[in-house]
Amino acid sequence: MTDIDFNLNEDKMRLAVDELKSKLQKVYLGGGQKKIDSEHKKGKLIARERIEYLIDKNSNFIELGALTGDEMYAEQGGCPSGGVVAVIGFVSGRQCMIVANDATVKAGAWFPITGKKNLRAQEIAMENRLPVIYLVDSAGVFLPMQDEIFPDKENFGRVFRNNAKLSSIGVPQIAAIMGSCVAGGAYLPIMSDESLIVEGTGSIFLAGPYLVKAAIGETVDKETLGGAETQTALSGVCDYKVKDDKECLDTIKKLIDKYGRFETAGFDRIKAKKPKLNEKDIYGIYSFATAKPYDVRDIIKRIADDSEFTEYKEDYGQTIVCAYARIEGWSVGIVANQRSVVKNKKGEVQIGGVIYSDSADKAARFIMLCNQKKIPLLFLQDVTGFMVGSRSENNGIIKDGAKMVNAVANSTVPKFTVIIGNSYGAGNYAMCGKAYDPRLIIAWPGAKIAVMGGDQAANTILQIEVAALEAKGKQFSDEEKQKILNDIKDHYNKTITPYYAAARLWVDAVIDPLETRKWISMGIEAANNAPVEKFNVGVLQT
């Protein structure tokens, strides 16, 4: 790579990271400054302020799904972060999942994407045995969209089912009622193991005063119906009555502080070391241009402790790099797509970013070894798919690809996926895409997630559409075809961006590449809370 290429790459990544930070700053305002001021006048902290107060000072934390709902629900005024904030952070020294309704966004009402985000947070907590803290402040289901949030398997009701499942496997749940908590949403805090309620601002009931009046003719105010005094002294529904937000959060800290310790998975960790090589070089090494190669080993050296790794089968299956390394002291097995064009030992040129039979075979065996050794797996995706054509078919690409997918699917050690570039077609699956249960899946700003690249897809769609219309007698000029192609390409390219994926929770976050080490370290620390099942070696029998 030339200095010019490095500098161009660096400039492009800096612009992309600036765009990401700009998006996040807008998201952090939730429903806007006026709504924030309104909450403050009521004596309430907003969701992110509550979380900031709750987590240990100067400790690491990661926010999941900050970009959830990005550019969605425009007709309803938008839904920044899906109206709920989810963070993995430390409370009284214990790593926890914290889920806080954002009352500045439609009074914390649940949109369809809100339900999906809550379920993702619970899924992560369940997989990693993380204690859950719910900071409840919600008006309940967003009624104009009730048909998309209420009745299906992965909708609103699944949250309460997960409450029960979390308790059944011994994962503690604390709920703090810090604002409204109505209708079906009332089950979430009360199905938690302990609950708190804030005087004056917190209230919980199955039906609010208006509905009670309409249903049975009774006139009653909110405090009498379900305020702090009623739900602690009379009904006994809540366990702790607190005077304000800060006392509520302080009480949660005291409760978490008394938790016992549980069995761990036993993943290996030693004292962390910073990479020897400059992490910021990633900006210049990584290329947004799909056709331009780079050596993924140069990326690994900038996220691995001391810039050291031990490569497995270095000279075989070279379009995938497999290596043992450490990240923030944690032992990891890395499976990374190699975008550089390489020659195998037979002298055959292999296209970078494509999975060949030998690469798939190597990766499958490496995944098996990591499972045998109880080493967490890190997938670095920059893949355009599996190699096609008669030679690949004769070499058994389907068999070897299936072997790799099988190994990923049956892996029992925790998996973490970082989409650093392309994530196309079956390559997404083989490299542990969302369907293969990574504990966390994150993307860099250059990520693209789709069945195939924009140019190939647009041309394919164009041929289908034009052929269908020409069969009906319509004729097109070259200019008309080009306009249709451009329209198709513009729409398609919009749907493959990391922001489109993050809005729909296909990825848990879009991050600055320099945050990769933190995310992986936090993820493995969370995963270490849950014992690992035995891996079935038989899945790799040939």
Side-chain angles (χ1 to χ4, degrees):
M1 179 182 293
T2 67
D3 289 343
I4 292 174
D5 285 335
F6 186 96
N7 291 336
L8 288 172
N9 291 343
E10 185 178 39
D11 288 345
K12 191 157 188 179
M13 182 61 82
R14 287 189 186 282
L15 287 171
V17 170
D18 286 345
E19 180 189 6
L20 169 62
K21 290 178 178 177
S22 177
K23 271 182 173 287
L24 289 173
Q25 287 304 315
K26 291 177 183 176
V27 162
Y28 295 155
L29 287 173
Q33 193 60 50
K34 286 185 179 179
K35 295 284 181 65
I36 293 171
D37 294 341
S38 176
E39 292 297 297
H40 286 165
K41 285 177 183 175
K42 297 173 188 173
K44 296 165 65 178
L45 300 173
I46 61 170
R48 286 186 175 81
E49 290 172 342
R50 288 167 173 168
I51 292 172
E52 183 181 3
Y53 185 88
L54 182 63
I55 59 177
D56 297 343
K57 302 303 178 193
N58 301 316
S59 64
N60 270 341
F61 70 92
I62 52 177
E63 182 175 343
L64 305 159
L67 293 164
T68 304
D70 183 50
E71 295 188 3
M72 295 172 66
Y73 310 116
E75 292 181 2
Q76 290 78 25
C79 188
S81 284
V84 64
V85 183
V87 163
I88 297 176
F90 292 90
V91 179
S92 298
R94 176 66 65 90
Q95 202 176 30
C96 297
M97 173 65 74
I98 308 165
V99 183
N101 298 115
D102 187 349
T104 70
V105 179
K106 290 288 191 294
W110 286 54
F111 284 68
I113 200 68
T114 314
K116 187 174 183 180
K117 184 170 177 178
N118 274 271
L119 292 175
R120 176 61 177 150
Q122 288 181 319
E123 177 186 35
I124 291 170
M126 207 176 294
E127 287 177 330
N128 299 292
R129 302 297 195 269
L130 291 178
V132 187
I133 302 168
Y134 304 103
L135 306 180
V136 184
D137 194 346
S138 171
V141 168
F142 184 64
L143 289 177
M145 303 186 76
Q146 65 84 27
D147 60 320
E148 298 181 48
I149 182 61
F150 171 69
D152 210 347
K153 180 179 178 179
E154 299 293 334
N155 282 175
F156 192 58
R158 189 79 171 180
V159 172
F160 317 130
R161 175 262 191 195
N162 287 352
N163 280 143
K165 290 291 185 181
L166 283 160
S167 288
S168 74
I169 61 174
V171 176
Q173 299 171 87
I174 293 178
I177 302 159
M178 308 180 78
S180 296
C181 184
V182 299
Y187 288 108
L188 185 147
I190 308 311
M191 291 188 73
S192 299
D193 302 297
E194 293 182 282
S195 61
L196 307 86
I197 186 167
V198 179
E199 290 184 275
T201 55
S203 60
I204 177 169
F205 30 62
L206 288 180
Y210 294 118
L211 184 53
V212 168
K213 177 69 173 176
I216 64 173
E218 180 184 359
T219 301
V220 61
D221 65 79
K222 188 166 77 169
E223 277 299 308
T224 303
L225 185 62
E229 184 69 20
T230 296
Q231 300 293 24
T232 53
L234 295 179
S235 71
V237 163
C238 297
D239 305 307
Y240 307 93
K241 179 177 69 175
V242 290
K243 66 180 181 181
D244 57 27
D245 279 13
K246 289 188 176 180
E247 184 178 307
C248 180
L249 299 169
D250 285 334
T251 304
I252 292 172
K253 293 179 190 180
K254 292 174 185 176
L255 294 172
I256 298 287
D257 180 58
K258 310 301 186 297
Y259 283 1
R261 296 286 168 178
F262 304 105
E263 181 185 359
T264 67
F267 300 131
D268 187 63
R269 190 180 198 184
I270 62 174
K271 185 176 180 181
K273 295 181 180 178
K274 291 283 188 185
K276 273 185 182 176
L277 300 177
N278 190 348
E279 292 176 69
K280 292 182 179 179
D281 287 347
I282 290 173
Y283 284 14
I285 294 165
Y286 174 80
S287 174
F288 282 77
T290 304
K292 289 196 173 181
Y294 63 87
D295 192 336
V296 76
R297 296 176 185 88
D298 291 332
I299 300 288
I300 295 171
K301 287 175 184 176
R302 282 147 180 93
I303 63 173
D305 285 15
D306 214 27
S307 297
E308 288 186 350
F309 62 89
T310 303
E311 189 167 347
Y312 172 75
K313 288 184 181 289
E314 179 180 354
D315 296 325
Y316 179 72
Q318 294 180 67
T319 62
I320 289 182
V321 172
C322 298
Y324 300 106
R326 290 190 182 274
I327 293 179
E328 291 290 340
W330 292 105
S331 171
V332 296
I334 299 173
V335 181
N337 299 115
Q338 174 63 286
R339 200 194 283 181
S340 291
V341 176
V342 297
K343 275 189 178 182
N344 63 20
K345 289 303 176 181
K346 298 177 183 177
E348 298 167 337
V349 175
Q350 294 187 332
I351 302 167
V354 178
I355 302 175
Y356 289 76
S357 287
D358 52 0
S359 301
D361 176 69
K362 176 175 81 170
R365 296 182 184 281
F366 181 73
I367 290 165
M368 177 189 71
L369 289 170
C370 287
N371 275 270
Q372 287 180 333
K373 299 175 183 180
K374 201 185 284 188
I375 299 174
L377 284 159
L378 169 60
F379 293 83
L380 301 179
Q381 282 199 18
D382 192 350
V383 58
T384 52
F386 285 89
M387 191 60 192
V388 296
S390 59
R391 179 177 292 179
S392 292
E393 297 297 349
N394 293 339
N395 287 337
I397 186 65
I398 295 175
K399 173 176 63 72
D400 291 320
K403 185 191 298 184
M404 182 178 175
V405 171
N406 205 333
V408 173
N410 284 286
S411 177
T412 57
V413 294
K415 299 165 292 198
F416 302 89
T417 301
V418 184
I419 304 174
I420 66 178
N422 300 316
S423 180
Y424 292 160
N428 170 282
Y429 302 155
M431 291 295 295
C432 197
K434 184 67 179 288
Y436 290 80
D437 298 323
R439 297 292 178 95
L440 293 173
I441 178 167
I442 54 181
W444 287 3
K448 296 175 184 174
I449 305 165
V451 172
M452 63 181 74
D455 289 341
Q456 301 97 310
N459 279 296
T460 302
I461 296 168
L462 175 68
Q463 290 175 44
I464 294 169
E465 289 189 3
V466 169
L469 290 170
E470 285 181 340
K472 296 178 181 178
K474 182 170 178 57
Q475 296 298 314
F476 292 92
S477 66
D478 290 342
E479 290 78 11
E480 287 173 321
K481 287 181 181 179
Q482 188 61 48
K483 183 181 185 307
I484 295 171
L485 178 65
N486 291 339
D487 290 344
I488 293 170
K489 195 182 296 185
D490 288 345
H491 172 73
Y492 191 89
N493 285 337
K494 183 180 178 182
T495 67
I496 70 177
T497 70
Y499 298 114
Y500 192 89
R504 290 152 183 82
L505 281 172
W506 301 345
V507 296
D508 294 313
V510 181
I511 68 164
D512 181 337
L514 302 183
E515 294 184 330
T516 304
R517 281 170 53 84
K518 180 178 80 170
W519 273 80
I520 300 308
S521 174
M522 287 287 286
I524 298 175
E525 186 160 359
N528 199 40
N529 291 299
V532 174
E533 297 176 9
K534 186 177 179 181
F535 178 71
N536 179 12
V537 180
V539 302
L540 291 182
Q541 295 300 321
T542 58

